[in-house]
Amino acid sequence: MKTSTNEIQDHPDNETDTEENQKKLKYPKSVFFIIGNEFCERFSFYGMRTVLTLYLRNYLNYNDDTSTAIYHVFTMFAYFFPVFGAILADSLLGKFRTIFYLSIVYAIGQILLSLTAAPPIGLPKREFSLVGLLLIALGTGGIKPCVTAFGGDQFVLPQQERYLSTYFSLFYFSINFGSLISSFLTPILRSDVECFDEKTCYSLAFFVPAVLMTVSIVIFIVGRPLYKIVKPTGNVVLVVSKCISHAIYQKVTSKSKREHWLDHADDEYDRSLINDIKAALQVMKLFIPIPIFWALFDQQASRWTLQASKMDGEIGSFLLQPDQMQVINPLLVLAFIPIFETCFYPLLAKIGLRTPLKKLTIGGVLAALAFVLSALVELQLETTYPVLPSEGVAQLRVFNTLNCPVNMTIGDQSFGLKEMDMWANVNIETTGRSFDYTAQSESCKINSIGTILVTGGVATSWVMGPDGLSYNYVDFIDKPKTGDPLVRGLFFVNESSSSVELSLRKGDKPSVSFSLNAGIHETDLKEIKPSVYDIWIGDQKAKSDVQLKLGGVYTVVGSVSPNEKNVNIVTVTEPNSMHILWQIPQYILITFGEVMFSVTGLEFAFTQAPTSMKSLLQASWLLTVAFGNLIVVIIAEGSWFSRQVYEFFLFAGLMFVDMIIFAFMAKLYKYVEVPDDGSITEEINMDVKNGIVNESYKDNEK
């Protein structure tokens, strides 16, 4: 009783000592350097990744499928290398040196990518871009598991547990804030800045993230004197891998029978480790369907961005770039998380949907619905696509460069061709065919007959001049790859006229210009920013307020003589007409699903594993992202579908089926409570029927 009395008397003093210790332990200033480092690194990563798909397609000239595949291979490596980063940090270099060395590799990759995008440097574009991306994936993936843990090492626990919670909030905010700013900024640098005589500036869009990555290294090094550095103590991933390998080897070579195949490893490994691995494997089984979600989620920056490039981004005087749509995700994440915690999750609990696995299932279904919406958008978008010539089908266009109407007959078709206008037949079934034509115009004194040719799979444009249809060329009628409008000149220049310049201007400075020589000829197609322009021939304004829109292909048609200059703008390919904001519902659904799936999944993985296995479960969760991107690579490179809408419906269907399987697996899972010491004190049913208790937890209870 005396001892107990002393303990009771000492208890208030112990509380006072703890309070005094908490007051003495100030908030570690070192974490602000780590948070600043993380902000710059995330700005660098997301800024580069936002414009990456368009860089691969528009600048490196890969097709849509290959661009998508390369983007997802890069993302796959970025989420695969964390395993090696964790092994390096925990077993060899320690967290500080791992972050420092791999950050240098990361910065070199960013700088190399920026230099490759600068034409004067002259580096082989494709080869060095891929090398740069590999270095970036190695760097960002390698430091990913280290930075958060390194920040946590700066706190003294349990005395500073409240401070640690604040740190994680600030850390998460820095990630999303860096992503938000860079996702909005780098598309502007790419599209609105002209450099090296090009209409875009990918080198600057990559250079700014490279600078931020370099700054992140400087910030990290400056905080070096303040850091608490924990020496490497061994990596659980290696230990678990060795234990599993040994168990498999013993099972194969040994004739003895054991209750569980992992029990074969008890000749070299502790029973507690084996039981912890059993528990971790029970959770990891539920990770098997998870990659399908990431296959859908990460297509925001690939397939959805390519879809947005075929849509109209004009909002008043502001032009929303297709890759800027990705900024919606971090914006909604920051908005949704507090709403979910205060409103949505309590509402779900009232209707019986309170367990993490049920939330995960709902999140997956929402992701599938997001892809159903993207498929519906694609179906509507297909109606705006131009009709392209195909094998056995030819297209014929006739342009009139003269300032007078012409009555024409081609084959069995008769029509009036207006002055400086175009007539088209986009569906001529033939592999090669000739047509007789007649052309008459009293005002231009034309009375011409002759023969014209068309070829299957080709869009042929014939040009009306003073001598009839005497000139033709192969036209481009597809949507511009970059999304910006394309324009060319098509003129008849009188022999007595000197060479003149055709230009499209905003103000006094030409945006594009073409040289017009005597005779009939077409100029090259040139890319121009969507806007309103004046058309000038030489020093004379020939037409005012011509609007060129996203996705349009235009031909400036006319004639030049000493006494007059006639000009008109003809739309060869209609501009994008479906607005980019129609993508917002699919972004809302995918972000809704992400919050329920990603945040809940991390919480589930962390709480359902013993303490010694928590880092293994976090590494396994990151690997599901890598495998999800691998699924996209396989489907994109397979090129199984002639229409993108079919691929969107495939992913939606896969996700629905995947969630049915996941829901069945979740129903068989028995939730357990794992205290901080890793022992099991209580089983929690949480409204799960027919669940199976994890045997390894039973062993721990014994």
Side-chain angles (χ1 to χ4, degrees):
M1 292 297 294
K2 186 176 180 181
T3 303
S4 298
T5 303
N6 288 339
E7 288 176 355
I8 293 171
Q9 290 174 346
D10 289 343
H11 186 70
D13 294 334
N14 290 338
E15 285 186 345
T16 304
D17 290 341
T18 303
E19 290 176 0
E20 290 178 355
N21 288 335
Q22 289 178 345
K23 291 179 181 179
K24 291 178 182 178
L25 291 172
K26 297 181 179 180
Y27 199 96
K29 296 179 181 178
S30 57
V31 299
F32 293 105
F33 292 94
I34 298 171
I35 290 172
N37 164 269
E38 182 67 10
F39 168 81
C40 293
E41 188 274 327
R42 290 290 86 185
F43 184 108
S44 176
F45 179 75
Y46 284 106
M48 177 277 304
R49 199 177 76 160
T50 298
V51 301
L52 178 57
T53 300
L54 295 183
Y55 172 72
L56 293 168
R57 187 189 68 169
N58 300 346
Y59 194 80
L60 298 186
N61 295 317
Y62 290 108
N63 61 33
D64 285 4
D65 290 338
T66 304
S67 298
T68 299
I70 293 174
Y71 170 84
H72 287 283
V73 167
F74 164 75
T75 307
M76 179 185 70
F77 281 134
Y79 284 92
F80 182 74
F81 284 133
V83 175
F84 295 99
I87 293 172
L88 276 176
D90 293 343
S91 304
L92 187 62
L93 298 178
K95 297 184 187 72
F96 175 81
R97 286 195 293 171
T98 300
I99 295 170
F100 177 58
Y101 293 152
L102 291 182
S103 292
I104 293 174
V105 173
Y106 191 165
I108 291 172
Q110 289 279 31
I111 293 169
L112 182 60
L113 194 60
S114 177
L115 293 176
T116 305
I121 304 299
L123 295 174
K125 292 192 296 185
R126 287 187 171 184
E127 293 81 356
F128 276 79
S129 292
L130 296 180
V131 171
L133 289 175
L134 180 61
L135 294 177
I136 293 169
L138 175 60
T140 189
I143 68 176
K144 191 182 294 290
C146 304
V147 179
T148 310
F150 186 65
D153 289 344
Q154 309 308 306
F155 295 87
V156 178
L157 299 178
Q159 293 92 329
Q160 292 185 310
E161 187 172 350
R162 178 168 56 88
Y163 290 160
L164 181 63
S165 178
T166 305
Y167 159 72
F168 281 121
S169 297
L170 289 172
F171 190 85
Y172 183 75
F173 179 81
S174 70
I175 292 173
N176 284 277
F177 192 51
S179 168
L180 187 67
I181 295 176
S182 62
S183 297
F184 182 79
L185 178 62
T186 50
I188 294 176
L189 298 177
R190 169 191 67 79
S191 63
D192 293 355
V193 178
E194 297 182 10
C195 59
F196 308 116
D197 296 325
E198 296 183 341
K199 296 296 181 182
T200 56
C201 196
Y202 284 99
S203 58
L204 180 62
F206 291 141
F207 180 70
V208 171
V211 170
L212 265 291
M213 190 61 223
T214 305
V215 170
S216 77
I217 298 173
V218 173
I219 293 173
F220 187 68
I221 292 299
V222 169
R224 173 68 176 85
L226 301 176
Y227 296 144
K228 181 202 295 183
I229 297 177
V230 179
K231 294 181 179 179
T233 56
N235 186 270
V236 67
V237 176
L238 285 176
V239 174
V240 170
S241 299
K242 290 179 180 179
C243 181
I244 291 176
S245 299
H246 182 70
I248 294 173
Y249 176 78
Q250 288 293 101
K251 178 178 174 59
V252 172
T253 58
S254 174
K255 296 181 179 179
S256 61
K257 294 184 178 180
R258 309 299 293 271
E259 185 177 352
H260 192 281
W261 63 271
L262 268 172
D263 293 333
H264 288 280
D266 60 6
D267 60 330
E268 289 191 13
Y269 294 90
D270 293 337
R271 170 56 58 181
S272 60
L273 173 65
I274 294 173
N275 290 337
D276 285 351
I277 296 175
K278 289 179 183 179
L281 290 178
Q282 292 295 325
V283 179
M284 290 170 67
K285 285 180 183 178
L286 291 170
F287 285 1
I288 295 173
I290 299 297
I292 297 291
F293 173 84
W294 298 116
L296 274 64
F297 178 80
D298 280 335
Q299 288 187 63
Q300 292 177 77
S302 57
R303 291 300 198 196
W304 284 12
T305 296
L306 294 176
Q307 184 185 64
S309 69
K310 300 168 185 174
M311 304 176 80
D312 180 14
E314 292 186 11
I315 305 175
S317 59
F318 178 74
L319 182 62
L320 185 64
Q321 299 295 330
D323 37 1
Q324 276 183 314
M325 286 297 290
Q326 297 172 55
V327 80
I328 294 175
N329 178 253
L331 267 177
L332 291 177
V333 166
L334 292 175
F336 280 173
I337 287 179
I339 294 173
F340 273 49
E341 293 297 333
T342 57
C343 302
F344 188 65
Y345 285 153
L347 181 63
L348 287 181
K350 288 183 179 180
I351 60 175
L353 300 175
R354 61 174 63 91
T355 64
L357 293 181
K358 287 181 179 179
K359 294 176 185 177
L360 278 166
T361 305
I362 295 171
V365 170
L366 289 172
L369 290 175
F371 263 68
V372 171
L373 285 184
S374 69
L376 295 177
V377 168
E378 186 68 23
L379 277 174
Q380 183 61 35
L381 195 58
E382 284 183 347
T383 63
T384 70
Y385 292 165
V387 177
L388 302 178
S390 57
E391 185 177 353
V393 178
Q395 292 190 359
L396 170 64
R397 286 170 178 81
V398 179
F399 288 90
N400 183 8
T401 62
L402 305 177
N403 190 28
C404 56
V406 179
N407 294 317
M408 295 199 65
T409 299
I410 298 180
D412 57 359
Q413 289 184 289
S414 298
F415 55 92
L417 182 60
K418 296 180 180 179
E419 59 271 21
M420 296 174 294
D421 205 352
M422 176 191 76
W423 171 87
N425 185 342
V426 299
N427 187 23
I428 302 173
E429 294 185 1
T430 179
T431 55
R433 189 173 173 188
S434 63
F435 293 92
D436 294 329
Y437 81 89
T438 62
Q440 295 178 331
S441 173
E442 292 184 6
S443 54
C444 283
K445 299 179 181 179
I446 294 176
N447 189 359
S448 175
I449 62 173
T451 303
I452 60 175
L453 301 174
V454 294
T455 304
V458 175
T460 305
S461 291
W462 284 81
V463 185
M464 175 63 66
D467 299 326
L469 297 181
S470 58
Y471 184 84
N472 70 86
Y473 62 95
V474 175
D475 213 341
F476 178 87
I477 46 88
D478 199 358
K479 288 283 185 183
K481 188 164 58 174
T482 65
D484 287 337
L486 293 174
V487 62
R488 77 158 91 237
L490 176 61
F491 273 75
F492 164 68
V493 179
N494 191 282
E495 295 289 345
S496 59
S497 301
S498 58
S499 177
V500 294
E501 182 181 74
L502 167 69
S503 61
L504 277 70
R505 302 184 183 184
K506 288 177 65 177
D508 296 330
K509 184 180 179 181
S511 295
V512 294
S513 58
F514 308 91
S515 293
L516 302 178
N517 300 315
I520 295 177
H521 72 280
E522 85 283 4
T523 68
D524 292 334
L525 277 168
K526 289 190 178 182
E527 189 176 283
I528 191 171
K529 296 299 179 184
S531 188
V532 177
Y533 295 93
D534 297 328
I535 301 177
W536 290 67
I537 298 178
D539 57 0
Q540 179 181 335
K541 184 189 291 187
K543 196 174 184 64
S544 301
D545 300 330
V546 172
Q547 187 170 27
L548 305 184
K549 294 186 175 183
L550 285 168
V553 179
Y554 302 90
T555 300
V556 181
V557 182
S559 58
V560 177
S561 65
N563 299 323
E564 60 178 346
K565 298 176 176 65
N566 304 305
V567 66
N568 188 33
I569 187 83
V570 174
T571 302
V572 177
T573 300
E574 290 294 329
N576 301 343
S577 56
M578 189 173 184
H579 205 276
I580 200 170
L581 295 184
W582 280 107
Q583 281 195 323
I584 286 181
Q586 65 199 53
Y587 272 96
I588 291 175
L589 277 182
I590 200 76
T591 307
F592 211 102
E594 176 198 4
V595 174
M596 296 194 72
F597 202 93
S598 180
V599 177
T600 306
L602 286 169
E603 176 190 351
F604 172 79
F606 190 81
T607 58
Q608 291 297 294
T611 302
S612 64
M613 296 291 113
K614 292 187 187 300
S615 60
L616 174 67
L617 268 294
Q618 299 304 304
S620 301
W621 181 263
L622 291 176
L623 283 177
T624 64
V625 183
F627 286 116
N629 281 271
L630 179 61
I631 292 170
V632 183
V633 173
I634 293 171
I635 293 176
E637 278 297 280
S639 301
W640 298 333
F641 306 110
S642 59
R643 296 166 60 189
Q644 181 59 48
V645 65
Y646 295 150
E647 188 177 294
F648 284 152
F649 276 127
L650 171 66
F651 278 109
L654 286 175
M655 193 72 230
F656 278 125
V657 173
D658 189 58
M659 284 301 97
I660 292 172
I661 296 171
F662 182 81
F664 178 76
M665 295 172 66
K667 188 177 181 181
L668 299 178
Y669 183 80
K670 192 79 170 182
Y671 288 88
V672 293
E673 181 181 2
V674 187
D676 291 338
D677 61 1
S679 62
I680 304 304
T681 57
E682 182 182 4
E683 295 172 7
I684 302 179
N685 193 319
M686 295 183 73
D687 196 31
V688 179
K689 297 180 180 179
N690 301 321
I692 300 174
V693 178
N694 294 336
E695 296 298 326
S696 58
Y697 287 117
K698 282 186 173 182
D699 291 339
N700 278 345
E701 287 184 289
K702 295 177 183 178

